[in-house]
Amino acid sequence: MFVPRMILSAMSTDEPSQSTEEHGHEHHEVEGPGYPTPAAMRTESEREKVAYVMGLRVGMDVDGPDFVGVVDVDPASDTYGELIDTVEMPNKGDELHHFGWNACSSSCHTEGLVRDHLIVPGQRSSRIHILDASDPRDLEIEKVIEPETVFEHDLSAPHTVHCVPGGKVVISMLGNADGDLPGGFLQLDQEDFSIDGHWEADLGDMEMNYDYWYQPRHNVMISTEWAAPKTYYPGFDLDDVEAGKYGDSIHIWDWENKEHQQTLTFGEEGQIPLEIRMPHNPEETQGYVGAALSSNILRFWEGSDGAWEWEKVIDVEDREHPDWDMPVPGLVTDIVLSLDDQYLFFSNWLHGDMRMYDVSDFGNPRLVDRIWAGGNFSDRQEVQGTEIRGAPQMLQLSRDGKRVYWTTSLFSSWDNQFYPDIGEQGSVMLKADVYPDEGRMELDEDFLVDFGDAPGGPARAHEIRWPGGDCTSDVWQ
């Protein structure tokens, strides 16, 4: 279902903008979804009032389906900081993880296209749910693509969802139909959400997959690596790392031809490179990837000869802990860039801190602040008298860059290894106020969403999205 353009401004904060700014975008009129520039999204969109949050029950004591939660994040509301609605999935065991939109700012000049559907995959089931989000406070399941249909394309374990130009949605897939390698990319049609098939024309030497980002103006896509689903589903085993079963590389793709071009291998400097971010400025040909196990941030860029290069720019040192028989890595599990490309935020899930870096000099990030909340080393283990089960993990920044939210669950089997309380009592969602002009953050102790109190029983909270798009959903041409 497509909502007429004339009522779009009434249904969400995704309002068309008539402005331009410095990123070289020459078109003024917005006929489709999103914003003409990152600055327009940052300065002209409304403050977020609700958040969509993945809630999952895989590996929990409670036997129930996963859900998409609607959280009230409007301080003027009587239900501020509460889970005001849940949309339960029709089956159990999906492990909802990441999700995305049918359309975004990369198609802002596509007349008639509206950002009004969420694509919600089950990471463990390979089932893909299509939710009608025309009313941002009343989501409805419109279609379900069953796993057997996905397996017909010899793919499984969907992860990152991006809307792309040309009326398509591309989902990174981490395994084949049997949960082994290689993975690939699944392409959906934006109109009826039918499966077109594989996005890629040539996998090259890519086997492992995870996250991806693309810069269409420079004809490039870059993907990262986790492991085969059969490797990470049971939980983390250090022997699997030593056996080479976890990734240490990123892959450069020709965006138009959909062909693999180059592999950047990091080795021990970049073990398990997960989340990838490129600047929102479409002129840029560089970016960051967070290497989870190596606990560092790697910068990559296109050299003058067209070949891509990399360097380590941030290193989180391991720490000793009396309950561990080895030094504890930070485990960098998520990274976020502000829409003005000024600040980088990332989480250290095992240590328990969320950091803020000034990246105005992209090759020389400068730590400006951090917040400790939960984890193995934080002095702050509760908010409002509620235990912080887990630690900062999935991050989402407000469009204006003045608030950062996070949840504390990583993946069901990994939670149960490292933070077993999550499996019994659910995880939480927290928030900090950000002061970009001062380069600092402050924990908002008035905001806490305890997913242990979710309707139907405790749940793990994972990725966060805003109606109208956010700094991890939208790409500009």
Side-chain angles (χ1 to χ4, degrees):
M1 178 187 76
F2 288 119
V3 178
R5 191 67 197 165
M6 61 185 177
I7 68 169
L8 180 60
S9 62
M11 81 178 191
S12 79
T13 60
D14 192 10
E15 298 181 17
S17 164
Q18 304 299 321
S19 73
T20 62
E21 63 92 56
E22 67 272 11
H23 286 342
H25 199 104
E26 298 176 355
H27 306 284
H28 293 253
E29 296 297 325
V30 175
E31 301 166 336
Y35 302 83
T37 64
M41 176 183 267
R42 178 172 57 87
T43 62
E44 298 176 16
S45 63
E46 297 178 6
R47 175 177 171 143
E48 67 282 358
K49 294 182 179 179
V50 297
Y52 302 140
V53 185
M54 297 290 91
L56 52 140
R57 295 195 169 102
V58 174
M60 304 285 293
D61 289 346
V62 61
D63 181 29
D66 299 351
F67 62 84
V68 179
V70 182
V71 173
D72 188 334
V73 294
D74 181 1
S77 170
D78 292 339
T79 54
Y80 177 61
E82 295 182 16
L83 189 60
I84 58 175
D85 192 20
T86 59
V87 181
E88 289 194 339
M89 299 300 102
N91 299 276
K92 299 176 183 178
D94 285 313
E95 184 118 9
L96 302 187
H97 195 64
H98 286 216
F99 63 129
W101 290 101
N102 66 307
C104 68
S105 296
S106 64
S107 299
C108 70
H109 302 300
T110 303
E111 187 174 0
L113 189 61
V114 178
R115 190 199 315 255
D116 61 357
H117 284 78
L118 285 166
I119 292 84
V120 182
Q123 223 292 313
R124 197 175 285 267
S125 69
S126 298
R127 186 176 288 111
I128 301 173
H129 310 85
I130 311 299
L131 272 62
D132 183 344
S134 300
D135 182 343
R137 288 178 177 260
D138 188 18
L139 306 180
E140 295 183 356
I141 298 175
E142 181 173 304
K143 178 177 180 177
V144 177
I145 303 172
E146 294 295 343
E148 293 76 17
T149 305
V150 176
F151 297 156
E152 289 175 4
H153 302 274
D154 198 24
L155 291 170
S156 69
H159 189 266
T160 300
V161 178
H162 274 305
C163 40
V164 304
K168 303 298 179 182
V169 173
V170 176
I171 306 174
S172 62
M173 309 292 288
L174 276 56
N176 64 17
D178 297 321
D180 293 314
L181 299 175
F185 298 89
L186 189 71
Q187 181 172 290
L188 307 184
D189 186 84
Q190 284 175 338
E191 186 170 348
D192 61 3
F193 304 106
S194 59
I195 295 178
D196 292 335
H198 283 245
W199 169 83
E200 75 279 0
D202 170 31
L203 274 178
D205 61 2
M206 189 212 86
E207 290 194 335
M208 298 181 194
N209 203 2
Y210 184 71
D211 193 21
Y212 77 95
W213 197 270
Y214 68 100
Q215 288 284 50
R217 187 174 293 192
H218 294 282
N219 191 36
V220 67
M221 182 182 89
I222 304 181
S223 63
T224 66
E225 297 185 337
W226 192 6
K230 283 186 175 179
T231 298
Y232 64 80
Y233 277 174
F236 179 72
D237 187 336
L238 194 58
D239 290 342
D240 288 335
V241 178
E242 295 172 355
K245 293 184 178 181
Y246 278 94
D248 66 353
S249 303
I250 62 174
H251 301 274
I252 317 298
W253 301 79
D254 182 306
W255 176 246
E256 290 294 332
N257 294 328
K258 305 177 182 180
E259 294 178 345
H260 186 275
Q261 297 288 302
Q262 184 182 351
T263 298
L264 297 182
T265 300
F266 307 131
E268 291 188 0
E269 293 280 25
Q271 292 180 318
I272 315 185
L274 295 182
E275 305 292 336
I276 186 169
R277 305 287 179 255
M278 297 183 76
H280 300 93
N281 179 354
E283 293 288 349
E284 291 286 351
T285 53
Q286 60 178 331
Y288 296 121
V289 61
L293 189 59
S294 296
S295 300
N296 55 37
I297 302 294
L298 306 171
R299 171 181 170 252
F300 55 87
W301 69 94
E302 185 179 26
S304 57
D305 61 354
W308 290 74
E309 304 175 45
W310 68 275
E311 65 179 347
K312 180 172 66 175
V313 291
I314 301 172
D315 195 19
V316 178
E317 293 189 3
D318 297 350
R319 297 182 59 171
E320 298 290 339
H321 191 286
D323 295 334
W324 284 60
D325 57 7
M326 59 175 281
V328 182
L331 210 72
V332 177
T333 51
D334 197 17
I335 65 174
V336 173
L337 265 176
S338 59
L339 280 168
D340 59 2
D341 300 328
Q342 176 77 25
Y343 289 105
L344 172 74
F345 300 80
F346 70 82
S347 53
N348 286 311
W349 188 61
L350 289 180
H351 283 184
D353 63 315
M354 187 268 296
R355 299 188 180 190
M356 175 182 181
Y357 281 76
D358 183 335
V359 293
S360 51
D361 179 354
F362 222 70
N364 294 283
R366 180 173 61 88
L367 177 64
V368 294
D369 205 358
R370 75 174 76 180
I371 286 178
W372 290 92
N376 287 288
F377 296 98
S378 174
D379 291 333
R380 181 187 290 112
Q381 293 292 331
E382 62 178 43
V383 171
Q384 298 181 15
T386 298
E387 178 191 1
I388 302 173
R389 299 178 293 274
Q393 207 286 105
M394 289 305 301
L395 310 177
Q396 190 55 268
L397 188 65
S398 63
R399 289 181 287 256
D400 61 10
K402 295 181 179 179
R403 292 162 299 283
V404 60
Y405 301 75
W406 65 90
T407 56
T408 59
S409 165
L410 175 60
F411 194 73
S412 61
S413 50
W414 294 43
D415 289 351
N416 291 350
Q417 277 183 272
F418 298 107
Y419 296 112
D421 286 352
I422 295 178
E424 299 170 2
Q425 303 172 53
S427 65
V428 299
M429 177 179 174
L430 296 171
K431 163 186 170 281
D433 293 312
V434 181
Y435 302 89
D437 293 344
E438 303 173 32
R440 68 180 183 89
M441 302 180 289
E442 184 175 325
L443 182 70
D444 179 1
E445 299 204 28
D446 292 328
F447 184 90
L448 167 80
V449 186
D450 187 353
F451 277 72
D453 295 331
R460 310 174 193 272
H462 199 68
E463 190 171 40
I464 305 166
R465 292 235 174 269
W466 311 130
D470 50 65
C471 62
T472 60
S473 69
D474 281 42
V475 173
W476 280 265
Q477 293 199 69

Coordinates of all heavy atoms in Angstrom, one line a residue, residues 367-405:
L367 N 39.0 11.5 21.3 CA 38.1 11.2 22.3 C 37.7 12.4 23.1 O 38.5 13.1 23.6 CB 38.7 10.1 23.3 CG 37.8 9.7 24.5 CD1 36.5 9.0 24.0 CD2 38.6 8.8 25.4
V368 N 36.4 12.7 23.1 CA 35.9 13.9 23.8 C 35.1 13.5 25.1 O 35.0 14.3 26.0 CB 35.1 14.8 22.9 CG1 36.0 15.4 21.9 CG2 33.9 14.2 22.3
D369 N 34.4 12.3 25.1 CA 33.6 12.0 26.2 C 33.3 10.5 26.2 O 33.4 9.9 25.1 CB 32.4 12.8 26.3 CG 31.8 12.9 27.8 OD1 32.4 12.3 28.7 OD2 30.8 13.6 28.0
R370 N 32.9 9.9 27.3 CA 32.3 8.6 27.3 C 31.4 8.5 28.5 O 31.4 9.3 29.5 CB 33.5 7.6 27.5 CG 34.1 7.5 28.9 CD 35.1 6.3 29.0 NE 36.3 6.7 28.4 CZ 37.4 5.9 28.3 NH1 37.3 4.6 28.9 NH2 38.5 6.2 27.8
I371 N 30.5 7.5 28.4 CA 29.5 7.2 29.5 C 29.6 5.7 29.8 O 29.6 4.9 29.0 CB 28.1 7.6 29.0 CG1 27.9 9.1 29.0 CG2 27.0 6.9 30.0 CD1 26.5 9.5 28.6
W372 N 29.7 5.5 31.1 CA 29.8 4.1 31.6 C 28.4 3.7 32.1 O 27.7 4.5 32.8 CB 30.8 4.0 32.8 CG 32.2 4.1 32.3 CD1 33.0 5.2 32.3 CD2 33.0 3.0 31.9 NE1 34.2 4.9 31.9 CE2 34.3 3.6 31.6 CE3 32.8 1.7 31.7 CZ2 35.4 2.8 31.1 CZ3 33.9 0.9 31.2 CH2 35.1 1.5 31.0
A373 N 27.9 2.5 31.7 CA 26.6 2.1 32.1 C 26.5 0.6 32.0 O 26.3 0.1 30.9 CB 25.5 2.8 31.3
G374 N 26.6 -0.1 33.1 CA 26.6 -1.6 33.0 C 27.9 -2.2 32.6 O 29.0 -1.5 32.8
G375 N 27.9 -3.4 32.1 CA 29.2 -4.0 31.7 C 30.0 -4.6 32.8 O 29.6 -4.6 34.0
N376 N 31.2 -4.9 32.5 CA 32.1 -5.5 33.5 C 33.0 -4.6 34.3 O 33.6 -5.0 35.2 CB 33.0 -6.6 32.8 CG 32.3 -7.8 32.3 OD1 31.9 -8.6 33.1 ND2 32.0 -7.9 31.0
F377 N 33.0 -3.3 33.9 CA 33.9 -2.4 34.5 C 33.3 -1.1 35.0 O 34.0 -0.2 35.5 CB 35.1 -2.1 33.6 CG 35.9 -3.3 33.3 CD1 35.7 -4.0 32.1 CD2 36.9 -3.7 34.1 CE1 36.5 -5.1 31.8 CE2 37.7 -4.8 33.9 CZ 37.5 -5.5 32.7
S378 N 32.0 -0.9 34.8 CA 31.4 0.4 35.1 C 31.0 0.4 36.6 O 30.6 -0.6 37.2 CB 30.1 0.6 34.3 OG 29.4 1.7 34.7
D379 N 31.2 1.6 37.2 CA 30.7 1.8 38.6 C 29.2 2.0 38.6 O 28.5 1.9 39.6 CB 31.3 3.1 39.2 CG 32.8 2.8 39.5 OD1 33.2 1.7 39.7 OD2 33.6 3.8 39.4
R380 N 28.6 2.4 37.4 CA 27.1 2.6 37.4 C 26.5 1.3 36.9 O 26.6 0.9 35.7 CB 26.8 3.7 36.4 CG 25.3 4.0 36.3 CD 25.0 5.0 35.2 NE 25.4 6.4 35.6 CZ 26.4 7.1 35.0 NH1 27.0 6.5 34.0 NH2 26.7 8.3 35.4
Q381 N 25.8 0.6 37.7 CA 25.2 -0.7 37.4 C 23.7 -0.6 37.5 O 23.0 -1.7 37.3 CB 25.7 -1.8 38.3 CG 27.2 -2.1 38.1 CD 27.5 -2.7 36.7 OE1 26.6 -3.4 36.1 NE2 28.7 -2.5 36.2
E382 N 23.1 0.5 37.8 CA 21.7 0.6 37.8 C 21.2 2.1 37.5 O 22.0 3.0 37.6 CB 21.0 0.2 39.1 CG 21.4 1.0 40.3 CD 20.8 0.5 41.6 OE1 20.7 -0.7 41.8 OE2 20.3 1.4 42.3
V383 N 20.0 2.2 36.9 CA 19.4 3.5 36.7 C 18.0 3.4 37.2 O 17.3 2.4 37.0 CB 19.4 3.9 35.2 CG1 18.5 5.1 34.9 CG2 20.8 4.1 34.7
Q384 N 17.5 4.4 38.0 CA 16.2 4.4 38.6 C 16.0 3.1 39.4 O 14.8 2.6 39.5 CB 15.1 4.5 37.5 CG 15.2 5.8 36.7 CD 14.0 5.9 35.7 OE1 13.1 5.1 35.7 NE2 14.2 6.8 34.7
G385 N 17.0 2.6 40.0 CA 16.9 1.4 40.8 C 16.8 0.1 40.1 O 16.6 -0.9 40.6
T386 N 16.9 0.2 38.7 CA 16.8 -1.0 37.9 C 18.2 -1.4 37.4 O 19.0 -0.5 37.0 CB 15.9 -0.7 36.6 OG1 14.6 -0.4 37.1 CG2 15.9 -1.9 35.7
E387 N 18.5 -2.6 37.5 CA 19.8 -3.1 37.1 C 20.0 -2.9 35.6 O 19.1 -3.2 34.8 CB 19.9 -4.6 37.5 CG 21.2 -5.2 37.0 CD 21.2 -6.8 37.1 OE1 20.2 -7.3 37.5 OE2 22.3 -7.4 36.8
I388 N 21.2 -2.5 35.2 CA 21.5 -2.4 33.8 C 22.0 -3.8 33.4 O 23.2 -4.1 33.6 CB 22.6 -1.3 33.5 CG1 22.1 0.0 34.0 CG2 22.9 -1.2 32.0 CD1 23.2 1.1 33.9
R389 N 21.2 -4.5 32.8 CA 21.5 -5.9 32.4 C 22.2 -5.8 31.0 O 21.5 -5.4 30.0 CB 20.3 -6.8 32.4 CG 19.6 -6.9 33.8 CD 18.4 -7.7 33.7 NE 17.3 -7.1 33.0 CZ 16.4 -6.2 33.5 NH1 16.6 -5.8 34.8 NH2 15.5 -5.7 32.8
G390 N 23.4 -6.2 30.9 CA 24.2 -6.0 29.7 C 25.0 -4.7 29.7 O 25.3 -4.2 30.8
A391 N 25.2 -4.1 28.6 CA 26.0 -2.8 28.5 C 25.7 -2.2 27.2 O 25.0 -2.8 26.3 CB 27.5 -3.2 28.6
P392 N 26.1 -0.9 26.9 CA 25.8 -0.2 25.7 C 26.2 -1.1 24.5 O 27.2 -1.7 24.4 CB 26.7 1.0 25.7 CG 26.9 1.3 27.2 CD 26.9 -0.1 27.8
Q393 N 25.2 -1.3 23.6 CA 25.4 -2.2 22.4 C 24.8 -1.5 21.2 O 25.5 -0.7 20.6 CB 24.7 -3.5 22.7 CG 25.3 -4.7 21.9 CD 24.9 -4.7 20.5 OE1 25.7 -4.3 19.6 NE2 23.7 -5.0 20.1
M394 N 23.6 -1.7 20.8 CA 23.1 -1.0 19.6 C 22.8 0.5 19.9 O 22.1 0.8 20.9 CB 21.8 -1.6 19.1 CG 22.0 -3.0 18.5 SD 23.2 -3.1 17.1 CE 22.5 -1.9 16.0
L395 N 23.3 1.4 19.0 CA 23.2 2.8 19.2 C 22.3 3.4 18.2 O 22.2 2.9 17.1 CB 24.6 3.5 19.1 CG 25.7 2.9 20.0 CD1 27.0 3.7 19.6 CD2 25.4 2.9 21.4
Q396 N 21.6 4.5 18.5 CA 20.9 5.3 17.6 C 21.0 6.8 18.0 O 20.7 7.1 19.2 CB 19.5 4.9 17.4 CG 18.8 5.6 16.2 CD 19.5 5.4 14.9 OE1 20.3 6.2 14.5 NE2 19.2 4.3 14.2
L397 N 21.4 7.6 17.1 CA 21.5 9.1 17.4 C 20.3 9.8 16.8 O 19.8 9.5 15.8 CB 22.8 9.6 16.7 CG 23.3 11.0 17.0 CD1 23.7 11.1 18.5 CD2 24.5 11.4 16.1
S398 N 19.9 10.8 17.6 CA 18.8 11.6 17.0 C 19.3 12.4 15.8 O 20.5 12.6 15.6 CB 18.3 12.7 18.1 OG 19.4 13.5 18.4
R399 N 18.3 12.8 15.0 CA 18.7 13.4 13.7 C 19.5 14.7 13.9 O 20.4 15.1 13.2 CB 17.5 13.6 12.8 CG 16.9 12.3 12.2 CD 15.7 12.6 11.4 NE 14.5 12.9 12.2 CZ 13.5 12.1 12.4 NH1 13.6 10.9 11.9 NH2 12.5 12.5 13.1
D400 N 19.1 15.5 15.0 CA 19.8 16.7 15.3 C 21.1 16.5 16.0 O 21.8 17.5 16.3 CB 18.9 17.7 16.0 CG 18.5 17.2 17.4 OD1 19.0 16.1 17.8 OD2 17.6 17.8 18.0
G401 N 21.4 15.3 16.3 CA 22.7 14.9 17.0 C 22.8 15.3 18.5 O 23.8 15.3 19.1
K402 N 21.6 15.5 19.1 CA 21.6 16.0 20.5 C 21.2 14.9 21.5 O 21.1 15.2 22.7 CB 20.7 17.2 20.6 CG 21.2 18.4 19.8 CD 20.3 19.6 20.0 CE 20.9 20.8 19.2 NZ 20.0 22.0 19.3
R403 N 20.8 13.7 21.0 CA 20.5 12.6 21.9 C 21.0 11.3 21.3 O 20.8 11.1 20.1 CB 18.9 12.6 22.1 CG 18.4 13.7 22.9 CD 16.9 13.9 22.7 NE 16.5 14.1 21.3 CZ 16.7 15.2 20.6 NH1 17.2 16.3 21.2 NH2 16.3 15.4 19.3
V404 N 21.6 10.5 22.2 CA 22.0 9.2 21.7 C 21.3 8.1 22.6 O 21.3 8.2 23.8 CB 23.5 9.0 21.7 CG1 24.1 9.2 23.1 CG2 23.9 7.7 21.2
Y405 N 20.7 7.1 22.0 CA 20.0 6.1 22.7 C 20.7 4.8 22.4 O 21.4 4.6 21.4 CB 18.5 5.9 22.1 CG 17.7 7.2 22.2 CD1 17.9 8.3 21.4 CD2 16.6 7.2 23.1 CE1 17.0 9.4 21.4 CE2 15.8 8.4 23.2 CZ 16.0 9.4 22.4 OH 15.2 10.5 22.4

